[in-house]
Amino acid sequence: MRIYLSRPHMSGHEEARVAEAFASNFVAPLGPQLDAFEAAVAKYLGGGVHCVALSSGSAALHLALRIAGVGQGDEVWISSMTFAGGIFPVNYLGATPRFFDLDPASWTIDTALLAEELARAAKENRLPKAIVPTDLYGQSVELDTLESLAARYGVRLIVDSAESLGASICERKAGTGGDAAILSFNGNKIITTSGGGMLVTRHKDWADEARFLATQARDPAPHYEHSTFGYNYRLSNICAAIGLGQMEVLDARVSRRRAIFARYQSALTRPGITFMPEPEGSQSTRWLTALTIDPEQTGVTREDIRLMLLDHEIEARPLWKPMHLQPLYAGAPYHGAGIDERLFETGLCLPSGSDMSDAQQDEVIGRILALLDRHR
Ligand SMILES: *Cc1c(COP(=O)(O)O)cnc(C)c1O
């Protein structure tokens, strides 16, 4: 049986929630399950936040950027090492990205580099409209530092927490940071609604605006009246019912992913194999177990391992290719020392789904160790 990188993992509670939605005929984009799902996530995040359930994480980022006032010609400063859905909305709005490298100690945006560039941009009167740092592979960015930088320069902060629901940093939960954070419930994430996302914000007016824009921007009137354009971005009530069942097991899913990471880490202790760090005070979801392979020390490359695993029906993937290396963003400004480039060259994500059995993980570990032993 194929071993996947990260599969949907149902708890058994979802079908009953979906059945309730069917029984009341709320087979629609709004309904009681949607309200309850938003409330469940808000409660999990500790209150004080407003949650708006949407059709995807990308949709959430699109709305957050638009509400932040990002438009044609504006700059958005963003972690280069991220997933497409965490940047394409910048293009939807006609804005341009400026990319930032990672801090090797956390694999999240290098805040010192960012601070330096903000100071320079402030002097030159070219500050960005918004900053979008990514909680890479479930590790929260440095929320306090980023929030004080954003406040100091009057720049909006939108945190991409698509991979980090269930993580924390210095006692703060991932998903509660900045002017807004976005979550994803895509099929491969920690928990899923089959597809979906959420905008989380402390600003009530942002949440109201997101709900308005996500339902075709209908002004109050008996007929359809529009003073701006909107989108059809609300999450279906049926999908929200799946999310309600998933919220019951969120903490268990995070624990399981962390246990999978710990097991890989203790089994694959070889010179030249380095796992993604977790700084003091940070608790990652370990959404995907990410590691790097030094070909000089191990005698094998990332691709040797990936292709060998693929031959055995085991899915592994390179880390995200930094966006400043993508043809789409050729020539976009980039600040950094190429930490992200080296992570991409040597980095691999191993199967990390919370439904993976210990026996399956042992197979992955055994095959990697066998390959490494052949090259010793
Ligand atoms: C998954 C993901 C998204 C987008 O989520 P979708 O729900 O797939 O649109 C955005 N950013 C990052 C870092 C992600 O991993």
Side-chain angles (χ1 to χ4, degrees):
M1 197 176 80
R2 192 175 170 90
I3 302 178
Y4 293 90
L5 194 66
S6 179
R7 285 201 311 175
H9 184 186
M10 292 298 108
S11 67
H13 306 299
E14 295 82 7
E15 282 183 68
R17 302 304 198 122
V18 172
E20 287 166 24
F22 267 75
S24 54
N25 201 34
F26 272 108
V27 185
L30 297 175
Q33 279 69 25
L34 187 84
D35 295 341
F37 181 48
E38 290 178 345
V41 177
K43 178 158 179 260
Y44 181 86
L45 292 176
V49 291
H50 306 274
C51 292
V52 183
L54 298 163
S55 53
S56 70
S58 322
L61 183 58
H62 187 189
L63 292 182
L65 289 169
R66 176 154 165 204
I67 295 165
V70 172
Q72 199 75 35
D74 287 328
E75 276 199 6
V76 174
W77 292 9
I78 196 157
S79 309
S80 187
M81 187 169 253
T82 191
F83 169 64
I87 171 139
F88 286 170
V90 173
N91 294 64
Y92 303 168
L93 290 161
T96 52
R98 178 177 292 269
F99 294 114
F100 286 80
D101 201 356
L102 305 178
D103 179 342
S106 64
W107 295 19
T108 58
I109 197 163
D110 185 331
T111 52
L113 196 65
L114 187 68
E116 227 174 81
E117 193 52 29
L118 280 168
R120 188 169 309 135
K123 274 198 205 112
E124 297 169 4
N125 202 18
R126 52 167 187 86
L127 282 167
K129 202 45 124 333
I131 302 172
V132 183
T134 304
D135 293 349
L136 197 68
Y137 299 119
Q139 181 131 283
S140 174
V141 293
E142 293 167 43
L143 287 178
D144 292 346
T145 310
L146 289 164
E147 284 174 356
S148 58
L149 281 173
R152 181 159 161 207
Y153 291 100
V155 169
R156 294 300 194 180
L157 178 65
I158 296 159
V159 185
D160 184 342
S161 300
E163 302 170 359
S164 62
L165 180 60
S168 64
I169 185 159
C170 303
E171 317 281 309
R172 290 190 59 187
K173 284 199 161 129
T176 60
D179 291 290
I182 66 133
L183 306 176
S184 170
F185 307 113
N186 197 29
N188 60 354
K189 295 298 198 307
I190 314 270
I191 60 165
T192 184
T193 57
S194 78
M198 196 169 274
L199 188 146
V200 183
T201 178
R202 287 180 192 288
H203 309 312
K204 183 173 181 299
D205 55 331
W206 280 44
D208 292 342
E209 180 81 1
R211 289 198 169 88
F212 168 76
L213 290 173
T215 47
Q216 308 288 24
R218 288 150 61 175
D219 293 335
H223 58 276
Y224 285 83
E225 179 83 6
H226 306 282
S227 48
T228 185
F229 63 91
Y231 315 89
N232 182 4
Y233 270 177
R234 275 298 237 168
L235 184 69
S236 134
N237 190 61
I238 298 298
C239 294
I242 301 173
L244 273 177
Q246 290 271 281
M247 278 307 286
E248 292 183 35
V249 292
L250 172 57
D251 282 335
R253 295 295 184 260
V254 172
S255 310
R256 178 67 189 138
R257 294 214 186 223
R258 289 183 61 81
I260 287 169
F261 181 98
R263 227 160 152 259
Y264 278 129
Q265 194 173 31
S266 63
L268 299 172
T269 43
R270 290 292 171 89
I273 304 271
T274 311
F275 284 78
M276 180 172 177
E278 185 177 59
E280 177 108 24
S282 173
Q283 173 101 346
S284 170
T285 59
R286 298 298 196 190
W287 172 52
L288 296 180
T289 292
L291 49 80
T292 58
I293 298 111
D294 177 350
E296 286 184 5
Q297 286 189 72
T298 59
V300 300
T301 65
R302 183 276 308 286
E303 280 303 274
D304 292 334
I305 297 185
R306 188 183 70 79
L307 293 169
M308 174 279 294
L309 291 173
L310 196 60
D311 277 345
H312 294 96
E313 294 279 302
I314 297 168
E315 186 188 18
R317 286 230 181 173
L319 306 196
W320 302 130
K321 180 175 179 176
M323 287 295 158
H324 70 278
L325 301 179
Q326 299 285 359
L328 173 64
Y329 296 115
Y334 167 73
H335 300 270
I339 307 283
D340 49 11
E341 296 175 11
R342 278 186 292 286
L343 289 179
F344 172 61
E345 276 161 30
T346 60
L348 191 66
C349 293
L350 295 177
S352 308
S354 48
D355 69 335
M356 181 172 63
S357 68
D358 283 352
Q360 286 178 312
Q361 191 180 6
D362 287 340
E363 186 189 337
V364 179
I365 290 167
R367 295 205 184 276
I368 295 173
L369 288 176
L371 184 74
L372 292 172
D373 285 342
R374 282 202 296 280
H375 290 84
R376 264 228 268 237

